[in-house]
Every structure is written in C-alpha cells, then in structure tokens.
Amino acid sequence: GNSVTQMEGPVTLSEEAFLTINCTYTATGYPSLFWYVQYPGEGLQLLLKATKADDKGSNKGFEATYRKETTSFHLEKGSVQVSDSAVYFCALSDTGRRALTFGSGTRLQVQP
Amino acid sequence: DAGVTQSPTHLIKTRGQHVTLRCSPISGHKSVSWYQQVLGQGPQFIFQYYEKEERGRGNFPDRFSARQFPNYSSELNVNALLLGDSALYLCASSLTGVFSGANVLTFGAGSRLTVL
C-alpha cells in the first residue's frame, strides 16, 4: 500500500537558517503530493502541492519538487522565521484520488 | 467566507459511550472527508462522502459510521468508545470527491475527543 516517510523531529533552527524536511513515498501509479502545516491548536493548512513528476510547488517561500526517480518530495525554505514553527506533514493522494496518506509529521522549532 | 467548521471543539467521554461529531463544509463544497489524528501521528483517513453517498472508507472498524446530509454537512458517529479512540477528529471538504490540480482538501480545526 501507499506510505509516506518523513524525517523525525524536532528540527530546531535559528531564525534565517535554511530548512530542509525530507519526505519519501511509496505508491502505485502517479499520486499527487502535498505538504500541509499544522500550527498549535489548529487544523491542517495546505502549504503547497505538485501533481506530476518534476512539478515544483511553492508558497510563502517554501518549495518542494516532485522527484519520481527518487520518490521524494523534500520541503525547503531559504530563510525560516519564528512564525514558521509548526508541524509539517507530507502527504500523497491514493490511486482513486479520494483520500490522502500522511507521514507522521516533522516538528519545526525556530529560535530567535 | 467561513471555512470548514466542526463541533464540538472538545469533548470527554467514557469507555463504551457513543459520540457524534459534526462538520459543515465550505459553501459550495459537496464532498466531506473525515480523518483521525492520534497525538504525535499523522492523520488517518476514515471516510469520504460525496453527494450524500459514501465514496471511500479507510481501515476502521464498523463502530465508526458517518453520513452526509442534503445541505452537505456531515456527522461522524463512533459507538462503544475505546480508550484508543482518543484523538483529534478532522473534517475536510472539497469541491468534488476526486482531487485534481484545483480541487484540494481544506481542513477544519478538529474535534478533540478524550475517552476516559
């Protein structure tokens, strides 16, 4: 079945540091890939998405590229802010494109 | 515009009881999905409903059931609660039941269920 593996957290960075959160997946077919962010006490917000190989999703300074050859969708940001502190989830859509399979999440802590 | 709204936000139940969680989708969205998020884990898919019909079901026991109403709102019911049912229950809505470039899931803030 489908699965998503994320690097374990927490990831602790200083403000303005470079961020990478690794995500690899196992899936049949050609899933769409997503990054969601969850701030404390809130639900999930869609951060970015990519629907086919080599697509790059981007939003709010975050980027991720759909790499089919390495089955990866790593999240990057050039300069993090304290306000980026949250839990980040990588996810993929199932074959029928009706449900998402999520990774276990990576907590990011940005210190001033 | 209102986002996805869920109620109640928090509730406490005891083992063996029944719980009903409610969700109102974004206006114009016809599909509602339910996910369970246990503390420290990623959300797991429970159900998807589209146009009042169940279109997808995750690997959950029959104690879990749901329905969608003509106004596209939805209820999730869990019978015979177990301690392991303690979790954040997330509702998400989308325009249609099938994800595409423009059609993505928008999540509510969730209902936090504690089973004692």
Side-chain angles (χ1 to χ4, degrees):
Chain A
N2 294 345
S3 67
V4 176
T5 302
Q6 292 182 232
M7 60 188 292
E8 289 194 18
V11 173
T12 302
L13 296 173
S14 298
E15 207 164 22
E16 300 185 0
F18 184 85
L19 168 71
T20 299
I21 299 178
N22 290 337
C23 170
T24 57
Y25 67 90
T26 302
T28 54
Y30 303 95
S32 294
L33 301 174
F34 306 83
W35 277 100
Y36 279 84
V37 58
Q38 188 173 36
Y39 297 99
E42 299 184 13
L44 280 74
Q45 299 176 23
L46 178 64
L47 183 59
L48 54 84
K49 62 177 169 58
T51 57
K52 61 183 186 297
D54 300 326
D55 267 2
K56 177 185 283 188
S58 61
N59 186 27
K60 300 180 181 179
F62 290 90
E63 293 183 341
T65 301
Y66 189 160
R67 301 288 189 196
K68 189 166 178 62
E69 63 277 11
T70 55
T71 61
S72 64
F73 192 55
H74 304 321
L75 182 68
E76 295 182 337
K77 187 177 185 183
S79 176
V80 294
Q81 305 299 314
V82 172
S83 58
D84 294 326
S85 298
V87 180
Y88 292 81
F89 292 94
C90 184
L92 61 81
S93 62
D94 68 352
T95 303
R97 296 181 180 270
R98 292 187 176 276
L100 296 181
T101 297
F102 285 87
S104 57
T106 302
R107 180 174 300 280
L108 170 65
Q109 298 174 337
V110 181
Q111 298 175 338
Chain B
D1 282 344
V4 178
T5 57
Q6 294 186 242
S7 64
T9 54
H10 295 82
L11 68 166
I12 299 173
K13 295 285 188 177
T14 56
R15 282 177 295 175
Q17 286 189 315
H18 163 271
V19 68
T20 297
L21 307 177
R22 296 177 175 83
C23 172
S24 292
I26 291 173
S27 177
H29 284 193
K30 298 183 178 181
S31 179
V32 169
S33 299
W34 289 94
Y35 287 76
Q36 180 196 63
Q37 185 180 15
V38 173
L39 192 64
Q41 298 181 18
Q44 286 199 301
F45 173 68
I46 311 176
F47 289 112
Q48 187 202 60
Y49 277 78
Y50 176 61
E51 289 286 12
K52 302 182 289 296
E53 291 187 8
E54 181 183 303
R55 300 302 182 108
R57 173 186 284 255
N59 188 23
F60 279 81
D62 292 343
R63 299 184 297 106
F64 288 77
S65 63
R67 55 180 176 168
Q68 186 177 33
F69 299 100
N71 66 353
Y72 303 109
S73 67
S74 176
E75 283 183 355
L76 176 70
N77 294 283
V78 187
N79 292 324
L81 286 167
L82 303 174
L83 296 180
D85 295 331
S86 295
L88 181 67
Y89 288 86
L90 295 165
C91 174
S93 73
S94 56
L95 285 167
T96 70
V98 178
F99 307 144
S100 64
N103 184 37
V104 295
L105 285 181
T106 301
F107 284 84
S111 294
R112 183 164 298 282
L113 170 65
T114 301
V115 182
L116 300 177

